């Protein structure tokens, strides 16, 4: 929500300076996102007059201008604007001036062989609007040499505040002024509501046939208007907050919307056929909106229509057909109340956003329909002339009085801040609440968010000052503190530290993904009924969509090596599953004089990460089996799972399928994996003391075996068979060589296993070693392996 300082002071009688106002805004919960001072941005630009304009000798579309800047001799400027001509008064930027719309600093340069000392500027180049058809044209009597910003009244600071979804009352400047007045920064000026007496009955029938979606539809006709450009004060205010002035009639509706948080719409009466009705759309209807796009409608959408066609997507955007033009002479001003829930559903369904939608779906003041219509009518008559008809008030706005009993002691009990009852009463009164002697609080119509006593406490505390809440330490129990973390929380801490220690960077991504992203991972089991965006609609079935998107953003910004992990929840049909996901992309090692070109990540890197994380979590990694992957998002043959038995999957990892990468618009190879923390078996309770470390008394012995196995046999099968050959003597077995080629039969491969033997009370004899070797060979033979000669 943007507004200017002078605009704020239209509603707030205050002597406070800009800095004091900015601090107060944040203190009352309206966080200041930025302050823009146009005087600083445009301070270097001066009003200048074009003395002569001649054709450029080397370019037909360029002219060489002689420009009087009011300082010394005229300057030569090369200009391509079609409206550049002798006698024109415009805005000039001298060499050394920064042009915000172009993001360049001007310097003396030769353009097609002709020296140019500065430039004559357009509105877009100064970021005043999108207009760039030509350079700015000022009145002939504009003072040459004067500061353009000061002359044009562009020295008013623009304040940008973040409005939380519950503060619909602050979607207008007056609501913000009310908060500041309650905080002690001045007094809220009384609102001047005009009394508009109709000169004739309204010639257009106005009604609502959709009391659920549009409970109230107010309006009146003003005839004999003359539409044209807005006056300078109105145009400047809209431009200051980023709105493009269109015409006086349209600008008035925008001004009232930002001034009071009350969206309006104006129709050209000449385009209407019969009654103007708020109703549900009919199947097959469509509307061409003001943004130039056509939208298909359905019976769940509230529209404004006449007897011939739909003119407006109710509460969101008007249609092109009935929009006002310079030829408009009679207008109908619409001031309606639309149900917030209906507006939100319609906006999401159509993928359509607007300033009106952002206000209606939060909930506008239902008691401000008649006053809003009167304010807009007066502005139309003041700026465009004409006479107004009687106002038509169709339907009933939801004006049920809402009251609640409040205990003043609740403020201290809930917030820890002692505020006297008189001070609490004064704060509530300043915010528009009415409090009787028995502390029954009448909630104002513009505070839809206040629903219970806790909300009243929040209002009192934020105005009194959250910084005044005393810092009180939590009580400590006598004696040694007991651990409060659950076993699951302890596991998450361990794996988080392990992943970070291995060089992975922790990411925090959304728990929601789009339907398309969820579809790549088999679809989501849970879809939000009221998502904040179509791109954040489905509860994620995997952590990888968010991590892949994060990896892509980093790669697009030039990151050469990406190592990301996240600990979060997967939302499956049966439960939420705690998971650690990781993504590796780019270079595992940069190019160097030793290794040559850069080395990319591969599936074995993912396996190493998964094993290290499982080991940190306390999983029995020495007993894990490597088996095929189960998810189609991974590349077949370049991915696997780590399991305890055939059914208990602890992790899945590998190279992502090229189709998965394409679905996320990612170039190159992506390595990823997920560790399922809830699948790791819990440790048996064995007390808090570890057994003392007792190293073996005798040194271990190693023996090497080479076996021939079928080429499609997994090496892990052989290693596990060898380990189980003698569980008392064999403490480890690992693969150290894989060979195919000369001496190895076709369709087979040679696997070399290093076996570590640990003697117990006495050293192994030759007979002992021969017996163990025989058991190893026998175990390997059972799975189809033969000892290589």
């Amino acid at each position: 929500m943007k507004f200017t300082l002078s605009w704020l002071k239209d509603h707030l009688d205050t002597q406070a300076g800009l800095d004091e106002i900015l601090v107060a805004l944040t203190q009352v919960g309206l966080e200041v996102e930025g302050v823009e001072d146009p005087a600083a941005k445009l301070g270097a630009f001066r009003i200048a007059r074009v003395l002569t304009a001649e054709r450029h000798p080397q370019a037909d579309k360029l002219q060489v201008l002689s420009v009087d800047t009011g300082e010394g001799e005229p300057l030569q400027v090369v200009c391509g604007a079609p409206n550049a001509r002798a006698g024109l008064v415009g805005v000039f930027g001298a060499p050394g001036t920064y042009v915000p719309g172009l993001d360049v600093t001007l310097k003396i340069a030769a353009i097609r062989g002709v020296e140019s000392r500065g430039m004559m500027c357009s509105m877009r180049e100064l970021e005043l609007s999108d207009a760039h058809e030509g350079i700015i044209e000022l009145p002939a009597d504009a003072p040459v040499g004067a500061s353009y910003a000061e002359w044009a009244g562009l020295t008013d600071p623009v304040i940008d505040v973040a409005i939380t979804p519950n503060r619909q009352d602050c979607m207008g400047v007056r609501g913000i002024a009310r908060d500041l007045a309650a905080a002690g920064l001045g007094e809220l000026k009384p609102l001047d509501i005009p009394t508009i007496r109709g000169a004739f009955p309204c010639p257009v029938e106005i009604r609502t046939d959709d009391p659920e979606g549009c409970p109230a539809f107010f309006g009146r006709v003003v005839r004999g208007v003359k539409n044209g450009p807005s006056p300078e004060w109105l145009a400047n205010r809209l431009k200051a907050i980023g709105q493009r002035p269109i015409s006086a009639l349209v600008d008035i509706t925008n001004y009232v919307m930002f001034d009071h948080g009350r969206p309006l719409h104006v129709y050209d009466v000449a385009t209407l056929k019969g009654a103007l009705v708020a109703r549900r759309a009919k199947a097959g209807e469509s509307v061409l909106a003001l943004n130039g796009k056509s939208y298909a409608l359905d019976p769940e959408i509230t529209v404004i229509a006449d007897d011939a066609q739909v003119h407006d997507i109710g509460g969101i955007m008007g249609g092109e057909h009935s929009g006002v033009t310079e030829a408009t002479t009679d207008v109908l001003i619409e001031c309606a109340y639309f149900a917030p829930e209906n507006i939100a559903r319609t906006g999401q369904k159509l993928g359509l956003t607007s300033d009106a939608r952002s206000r209606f779906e939060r909930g506008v003041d239902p008691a401000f329909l008649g006053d809003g219509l009167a304010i807009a009518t007066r502005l139309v008559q003041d700026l465009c002339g004409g006479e107004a008809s009687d106002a038509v008030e169709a339907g009933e706005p939801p004006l049920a009085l809402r009251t609640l009993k409040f205990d003043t002691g609740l403020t201290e009990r809930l917030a820890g801040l002692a505020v006297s009852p008189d001070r609490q009463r004064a704060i509530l009164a300043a915010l528009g609440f009415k409090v009787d002697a028995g502390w029954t609080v009448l909630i104002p119509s513009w505070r839809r968010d206040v629903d219970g006593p806790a909300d009243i406490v929040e209002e009192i505390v934020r105005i009194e000052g959250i910084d005044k809440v005393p810092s009180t330490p939590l009580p400590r129990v006598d004696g040694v503190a007991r651990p409060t973390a659950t076993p699951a929380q302890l596991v998450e801490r361990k794996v988080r530290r392990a992943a970070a220690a291995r060089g992975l960077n922790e990411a925090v991504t959304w728990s929601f993904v789009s339907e398309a992203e969820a579809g790549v991972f088999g679809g989501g089991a849970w879809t939000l009924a009221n998502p904040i965006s179509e791109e954040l609609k489905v509860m994620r079935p995997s952590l990888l969509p968010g991590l892949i998107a994060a990896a892509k953003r980093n790669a697009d910004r030039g990151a050469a090596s990406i190592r990301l992990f996240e600990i979060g929840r997967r939302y499956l049909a049966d439960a939420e599953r705690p998971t650690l996901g990781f993504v590796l992309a780019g270079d595992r090692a940069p190019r160097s004089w030793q290794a040559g070109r850069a080395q990319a990540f591969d599936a074995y890197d993912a396996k190493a990460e998964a094993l290290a994380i499982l080991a940190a979590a306390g999983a029995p990694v020495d007993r894990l089996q490597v088996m095929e992957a189960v998810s189609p998002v991974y590349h077949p043959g370049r991915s696997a799972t780590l399991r305890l038995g055939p059914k208990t999957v602890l992790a899945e990892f590998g190279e992502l399928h090229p189709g998965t990468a394409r679905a996320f618009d990612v170039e190159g190879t992506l390595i990823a994996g997920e560790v399922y923390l809830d699948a790791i078996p819990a440790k048996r309770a064995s007390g808090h003391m570890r057994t003392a470390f007792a190293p073996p008394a005798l040194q271990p012995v190693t023996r090497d075996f080479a076996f021939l196995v079928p080429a499609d046999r997994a090496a892990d099968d052989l290693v596990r068979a060898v380990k189980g050959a003698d569980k008392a003597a064999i403490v480890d077995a690992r693969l150290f060589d894989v060979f195919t080629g000369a001496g190895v039969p076709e369709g087979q491969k040679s696997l070399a296993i290093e076996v570590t033997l640990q003697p117990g009370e006495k050293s192994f004899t030759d007979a002992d070693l021969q017996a163990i070797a025989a058991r190893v060979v026998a175990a390997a033979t059972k799975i189809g392996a033969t000892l290589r000669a």
Side-chain angles (χ1 to χ4, degrees), residues 326-402:
E326 290 186 359
T328 298
T329 58
D330 299 341
V331 294
L332 186 149
I333 307 173
E334 168 224 304
C335 186
Y337 181 87
F338 296 95
E341 297 79 9
N342 185 274
I343 292 294
R345 287 192 296 267
T346 298
Q348 292 163 8
K349 183 179 297 185
L350 300 180
L352 183 58
T353 59
S354 67
D355 291 315
R357 173 192 166 183
S358 68
R359 286 160 175 80
F360 276 122
E361 69 181 353
R362 293 168 186 248
V364 300
D365 182 3
F368 198 71
L369 273 73
D371 292 347
L373 180 60
I375 290 172
T377 303
R378 180 175 62 182
L379 283 170
V380 168
Q381 291 182 309
D382 289 348
L383 303 184
C384 304
E387 58 179 357
S389 74
D390 295 331
V392 176
E393 299 182 355
E396 292 290 337
L399 293 176
L401 297 180
R402 295 182 299 133

Side-chain angles (χ1 to χ4, degrees), residues 3 38 42 70 160 163 178 189 193 292 308 440 507 631 704:
F3 55 93
L42 304 177
D160 186 6
I163 308 298
R178 182 186 297 112
K189 295 180 180 179
I193 304 296
T440 297
S631 175
D704 296 343

Side-chain angles (χ1 to χ4, degrees), residues 86-397:
L88 180 144
V89 178
V91 181
F92 173 74
T97 300
Y98 175 75
V99 183
L102 298 178
D103 192 24
V104 298
T105 299
L106 299 175
K107 58 183 180 180
I108 300 174
I111 300 177
R112 294 287 188 94
V114 176
E115 185 179 76
S116 180
R117 293 177 172 268
M119 71 178 296
M120 299 296 289
C121 303
S122 69
M123 296 291 282
R124 188 166 71 174
E125 288 160 350
L126 300 188
E127 292 187 339
L128 296 176
S129 76
D130 293 332
H132 62 284
E133 294 80 8
I135 57 178
I136 297 171
E137 294 192 38
L138 303 179
D141 59 353
V144 173
S147 168
Y148 170 66
E150 292 183 6
W151 176 85
L154 299 176
T155 57
D156 199 5
V158 179
I159 305 168
D160 186 6
V161 296
I163 308 298
T164 53
N166 64 312
R167 294 305 308 278
Q168 68 279 347
D169 59 306
C170 289
M171 292 298 285
V173 179
R174 185 164 183 83
I176 295 172
R178 182 186 297 112
D179 265 18
L180 291 175
L185 254 69
E187 293 185 1
L188 186 67
K189 295 180 180 179
L191 186 59
D192 179 19
I193 304 296
T195 300
I196 307 294
R197 291 184 173 84
F200 56 94
C202 184
V204 178
E205 180 187 356
I206 298 173
R207 70 174 192 270
T208 175
D209 292 346
D210 180 18
E212 181 181 349
C214 180
F217 187 5
F218 290 13
R220 65 154 41 99
V221 167
V222 181
R223 66 188 182 191
V225 300
K226 184 177 181 181
N227 195 18
S230 293
E232 190 173 342
W233 69 268
L234 176 55
N236 285 345
R237 281 197 172 171
L238 293 178
K239 286 187 288 187
I241 63 172
Q243 297 291 313
R244 181 172 63 90
I246 299 173
S247 68
L249 289 171
V250 175
D251 295 346
I252 286 168
T253 63
N254 286 332
Y255 178 75
V256 175
M257 176 172 62
F258 287 104
D259 196 35
H260 296 280
R262 159 40 67 185
L264 301 157
H265 192 63
V266 289
Y267 299 88
D268 187 336
V269 174
T271 64
L272 302 179
K273 304 292 189 294
L276 193 65
V277 183
R279 61 168 173 82
R280 292 298 175 101
K282 300 174 184 177
E285 283 187 319
S286 64
V287 62
L288 180 62
L290 286 171
N291 61 3
K293 297 181 180 179
S294 183
Y295 294 91
L297 308 173
D298 63 50
E300 296 298 318
I301 296 174
T302 299
V303 299
I304 307 298
D306 62 10
D307 294 347
Q309 63 183 334
V310 174
H311 289 286
D312 188 358
I313 303 172
I316 298 181
M317 188 171 288
E320 277 198 352
H321 174 72
S322 58
V324 296
T325 66
E326 290 186 359
T328 298
T329 58
D330 299 341
V331 294
L332 186 149
I333 307 173
E334 168 224 304
C335 186
Y337 181 87
F338 296 95
E341 297 79 9
N342 185 274
I343 292 294
R345 287 192 296 267
T346 298
Q348 292 163 8
K349 183 179 297 185
L350 300 180
L352 183 58
T353 59
S354 67
D355 291 315
R357 173 192 166 183
S358 68
R359 286 160 175 80
F360 276 122
E361 69 181 353
R362 293 168 186 248
V364 300
D365 182 3
F368 198 71
L369 273 73
D371 292 347
L373 180 60
I375 290 172
T377 303
R378 180 175 62 182
L379 283 170
V380 168
Q381 291 182 309
D382 289 348
L383 303 184
C384 304
E387 58 179 357
S389 74
D390 295 331
V392 176
E393 299 182 355
E396 292 290 337

